């Protein structure tokens, strides 16, 4: 067994390499705020699903939004128009999956984003069943033609804005930071009627491009980045009595080590 110190993105870690006959499997142990932790197979699956949800959401949005730039009489435009509700549903589901799996230290913030998603989904369902469908339109077309419907679907995109804001803040992703402003600008501009079609199309095109870059670049990050400090989540999952016992033990160790 070989131990060695290493440094990744400023986090201290230890590489433990266990060697057996015909087998070698290095394991990196990271030093967290509440103790050491490792990346397990379940963590990898969660991160991949989280990123896949973002890709699904981005792909669905880009395909649906591309209809705004296609000739109305084109075959591709007709195909997209016929499947706008499906694309909207896939995008919402992908975002929902990512919001379930996203790692945020403050549980209340995560729950707030999830609550916004639920409100947006419910609002979308209400608009579709009571307004869009009776008028013979799909949901997206109805919102385009009736800006006031943004009040109902808006929370869904507010949840998306919160997610990209978190990504931009935590990882310094420029595209995520710009999306934080573009998403509400497009929706509020459409709602208020203060933007002409040219401005809205320009912002929409920027949204499409940045969303693709954002989702694609997630797969260039190390898995551990999307996990964060796993020891914090492990600590938060403990019962209150165990948390108290751990804090007391930590304080005793800190006192015994001295300044």
């Amino acid at each position: 067994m070989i131990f060695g110190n290493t440094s990744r993105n400023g986090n201290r870690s230890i590489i433990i390499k266990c060697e057996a006959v015909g087998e070698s499997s290095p394991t990196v142990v990271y030093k967290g705020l509440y103790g050491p932790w490792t990346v397990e197979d379940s963590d990898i699956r969660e991160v991949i699903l989280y990123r896949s949800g973002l890709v699904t959401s981005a792909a669905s949005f880009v395909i649906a939004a591309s209809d705004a730039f296609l000739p109305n009489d084109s075959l591709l435009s007709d195909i997209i128009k016929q499947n706008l509700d499906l694309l909207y549903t896939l995008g919402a589901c992908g975002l929902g999956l990512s919001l379930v799996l996203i790692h945020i230290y403050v549980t209340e913030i995560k729950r707030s984003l999830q609550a916004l998603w639920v409100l947006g989904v419910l609002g979308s369902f209400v608009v579709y069943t009571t307004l869009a469908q009776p008028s013979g339109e799909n949901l997206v077309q109805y919102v385009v033609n009736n800006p006031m419907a943004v009040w109902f679907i808006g929370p869904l995109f507010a949840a998306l804005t919160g997610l990209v804001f978190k990504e931009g803040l935590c990882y310094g992703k420029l595209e995520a930071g710009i999306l934080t402003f573009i998403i509400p600008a497009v929706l509020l501009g459409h709602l208020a009627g203060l933007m002409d079609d040219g401005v809205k199309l320009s912002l929409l095109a920027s949204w499409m491009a940045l969303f693709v870059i954002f989702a694609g670049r997630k797969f260039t990050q190390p898995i551990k980045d999307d996990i964060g400090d796993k020891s914090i989540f492990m600590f938060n999952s403990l019962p209150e009595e165990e948390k108290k016992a751990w804090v007391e033990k930590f304080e005793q160790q800190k006192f015994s080590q001295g300044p």
Side-chain angles (χ1 to χ4, degrees):
M1 184 174 290
I2 302 172
F3 295 83
N5 292 330
T6 186
S7 174
R8 295 191 177 187
N9 297 333
N11 294 326
R12 286 185 294 174
S13 59
I14 300 173
I15 294 180
I16 301 176
K17 187 174 182 181
C18 302
E19 295 184 354
V21 178
E23 181 180 343
S24 178
S25 56
T27 300
V28 180
V29 179
Y30 299 99
K31 182 177 177 60
L33 180 63
Y34 294 106
W37 60 275
T38 60
V39 177
E40 301 176 0
D41 290 342
S42 59
D43 299 320
I44 296 174
R45 285 193 296 269
E46 281 192 9
V47 171
I48 291 175
L49 284 173
Y50 168 72
R51 296 175 179 180
S52 298
L54 292 178
V55 169
T56 301
S57 183
S60 301
F61 174 79
V62 169
I63 294 172
S66 64
D67 181 58
F69 303 92
L70 296 173
N72 290 328
D73 57 351
S74 69
L75 176 61
L76 183 57
S77 177
D78 290 339
I79 294 174
I80 293 175
K81 282 185 174 67
Q82 293 171 8
N83 293 280
L84 282 175
D85 288 331
L86 174 61
L87 291 169
Y88 186 91
T89 302
L90 287 174
C93 290
L95 176 61
L97 175 63
S98 295
L99 289 174
V100 169
L101 299 175
I102 191 172
H103 282 197
I104 300 178
Y105 297 132
V106 183
T107 303
E108 290 76 12
I109 295 178
K110 179 176 180 177
R111 295 290 179 262
S112 297
L113 294 179
Q114 292 172 340
L116 286 171
W117 181 87
V118 171
L119 287 174
V121 169
L122 291 176
S124 300
F125 180 76
V126 169
V127 172
Y128 175 72
T129 56
T130 64
L131 299 173
Q133 199 172 39
S135 64
E137 295 180 293
N138 59 56
L139 176 61
V140 176
Q141 289 174 328
Y142 185 86
V143 174
V144 170
N145 297 329
N146 300 272
M148 293 302 292
V150 170
W151 286 110
F152 293 90
I153 70 166
L156 186 67
F157 292 91
L160 173 60
T161 303
L163 185 149
V164 297
F165 175 77
K166 176 263 181 187
E167 291 281 340
L169 185 66
C170 292
Y171 308 120
K173 291 181 174 292
L174 179 60
E175 66 275 13
I178 298 175
L179 279 172
T180 302
F181 295 97
I182 287 183
I183 295 173
V186 172
L187 293 173
L188 293 175
H190 181 61
L191 174 64
L194 299 177
M195 290 183 183
D196 60 35
D197 290 342
V199 175
K200 282 193 287 188
L201 286 176
S202 297
L203 289 175
L204 183 62
S206 300
W207 183 350
M208 294 166 64
L210 291 171
F211 206 176
V212 170
I213 295 172
F214 166 70
R217 285 189 65 202
K218 287 302 299 177
F219 286 90
T220 66
Q221 286 183 255
I223 291 291
K224 75 175 187 64
D225 283 2
D226 278 330
I227 298 173
D229 186 345
K230 187 178 174 181
S231 70
I232 295 178
F233 299 106
M234 295 167 64
F235 177 80
N236 289 338
S237 66
L238 295 174
E240 289 301 322
E241 292 184 358
E242 292 187 29
K243 286 183 181 179
K244 184 178 179 180
W246 189 97
V247 171
E248 291 177 353
K249 180 180 178 181
F250 178 78
E251 291 295 334
Q252 291 175 358
Q253 291 177 345
K254 185 177 179 181
F255 179 78
S256 63
Q257 291 175 356

